[in-house]
Amino acid sequence: MEHIAVGLVEGEKVLGSVNVYPEKLDSAEALLSMPAEGIADCIRRQVETVSRGEKIGAIGIGFPGIIRNGVVEDSPNLHQAKGFALQAALSSGLGEKYAGVPVRVFNDADVMAAGIAATHGLLNKLTRVWTLGNGVGFGRYPSSEGIWEGGHSVVTLNPKENFCGCGGRGHLEGILGRRSMRLRFLDLEPEEVLENARTGDTRCAEFVSLCHRALAAATATSIHMEGPGMFFITGPDVKFIDIALLDRLLHEMVKMSPLQGSRFEVIPTTDEMGIVGAAVNAQHAALK
Ligand SMILES: [Zn+2]
């Protein structure tokens, strides 16, 4: 959402350095106000720069939102991209040298799941990931048909829980997303809420507990639908998460014996991980 990172991948590794746009972090708002065509153009230029004339097997893109058949059907945090045929725009815009190279677009959390699976030797397993930031992303590998908007899982029936950016009530993102935290605590930044909870402020402590219950609940739903497994947690806001507490809450919510054995692991978010995942997914999709 804040920047575009592009790299050249061979196997499960990024070759050379990663190109980032915008180069200066203080211009992080640049993409938010850029028209969808401009974003596509920007991605295309970065791809051509990074490829340095090498032969390219496939081009994979991770993009925030609901992506189907190469079209951004919705993107709550980059509204201008709604309905944009990103895959077609990139394919047709690539220079002659790359004509015919398959381009595939995936949800950004899905490419993160693919990147984690590829770099952890888990390509033959179901791998799920929560990405915590302004929104809450849910990614799964292998990439498959479906919507998988796990961040909008309903985790409470309390009608007052209406802070989710999508407008839906009771959603995980409406509790754990940074944007929603700011709406809930108008006078406090998310970091201050966490700090206050640590020093014994009741309202903040109750909220941090609610965050953990909400994430455990959405995870439990995923386990009840698709079975147990590894759940990675990544993103700028993993600092809010206490893994031991999350494990304990999950065990209270998932009791059937065949569904036991899930684990959480926090891992740092890196551009490289997403880039590897986009490439792995694109190659698999192009070979189908
Ligand atoms: Zn929502």
Side-chain angles (χ1 to χ4, degrees), residues 76 149 151-153 163-174:
E149 280 292 329
H152 300 270
S153 298
F163 295 115
C164 192
C166 81
R169 281 181 204 268
H171 291 187
L172 173 62
E173 181 175 310

Side-chain angles (χ1 to χ4, degrees), residues 187-288:
D187 52 335
L188 296 173
E189 278 295 296
E191 284 71 20
E192 294 173 301
V193 174
L194 191 65
E195 186 51 39
N196 290 359
R198 280 186 183 135
T199 53
D201 177 277
T202 312
R203 180 171 169 241
C204 292
E206 278 173 3
F207 173 71
V208 170
S209 161
L210 178 69
C211 284
H212 284 81
R213 297 188 71 79
L215 186 56
T219 304
T221 299
S222 178
I223 293 169
H224 287 121
M225 295 291 190
E226 288 206 282
M230 273 304 298
F231 286 84
F232 291 90
I233 307 175
T234 188
D237 284 344
V238 288
K239 56 184 176 286
F240 285 98
I241 299 304
D242 171 348
I243 289 285
L245 174 58
L246 202 55
D247 264 326
R248 191 159 52 74
L249 291 168
L250 184 68
H251 280 109
E252 290 171 11
M253 294 174 184
V254 179
K255 287 295 181 191
M256 285 182 261
S257 58
L259 302 187
Q260 299 302 310
S262 291
R263 248 176 5 95
F264 288 106
E265 188 176 323
V266 168
I267 61 166
T269 309
T270 62
D271 287 335
E272 281 80 2
M273 197 79 88
I275 290 169
V276 167
V280 164
N281 267 0
Q283 196 174 26
H284 285 186
L287 290 176
K288 263 184 199 161

Side-chain angles (χ1 to χ4, degrees), residues 110-175:
D110 282 346
V111 306
M112 202 50 90
I116 293 168
T119 51
H120 288 67
L122 296 171
L123 285 175
N124 57 350
K125 289 221 167 78
L126 173 62
T127 301
R128 286 163 280 191
V129 58
W130 294 109
T131 61
L132 310 184
N134 236 352
V136 175
F138 176 74
R140 79 190 279 289
Y141 175 88
S143 141
S144 75
E145 277 295 307
I147 301 294
W148 309 108
E149 280 292 329
H152 300 270
S153 298
V154 174
V155 293
T156 167
L157 299 181
N158 181 348
K160 290 189 183 129
E161 286 295 342
N162 61 348
F163 295 115
C164 192
C166 81
R169 281 181 204 268
H171 291 187
L172 173 62
E173 181 175 310
I175 294 170

Side-chain angles (χ1 to χ4, degrees), residues 17-163:
S17 59
V18 167
N19 261 39
V20 174
Y21 175 92
E23 285 172 34
K24 292 199 188 76
L25 286 176
D26 59 353
S27 42
E29 303 284 300
L31 290 175
L32 296 179
S33 54
M34 189 182 280
E37 291 77 10
I39 296 179
D41 208 43
C42 194
I43 295 173
R44 184 187 53 72
R45 269 183 280 124
Q46 294 288 329
V47 167
E48 291 184 346
T49 307
V50 161
S51 55
R52 298 185 300 259
E54 298 271 349
K55 194 173 172 303
I56 302 291
I59 297 170
I61 316 281
F63 197 87
I66 298 177
I67 316 291
R68 282 208 291 190
N69 302 318
V71 176
V72 182
E73 293 196 339
D74 202 354
S75 189
N77 297 307
L78 285 172
H79 287 287
Q80 70 273 37
K82 184 174 173 139
F84 187 63
L86 179 59
Q87 195 165 295
L90 283 168
S91 290
S92 61
L94 283 170
E96 214 170 272
K97 191 165 187 333
Y98 304 106
V101 175
V103 177
R104 295 288 184 279
V105 182
F106 306 91
N107 168 268
D108 56 346
D110 282 346
V111 306
M112 202 50 90
I116 293 168
T119 51
H120 288 67
L122 296 171
L123 285 175
N124 57 350
K125 289 221 167 78
L126 173 62
T127 301
R128 286 163 280 191
V129 58
W130 294 109
T131 61
L132 310 184
N134 236 352
V136 175
F138 176 74
R140 79 190 279 289
Y141 175 88
S143 141
S144 75
E145 277 295 307
I147 301 294
W148 309 108
E149 280 292 329
H152 300 270
S153 298
V154 174
V155 293
T156 167
L157 299 181
N158 181 348
K160 290 189 183 129
E161 286 295 342
N162 61 348
F163 295 115

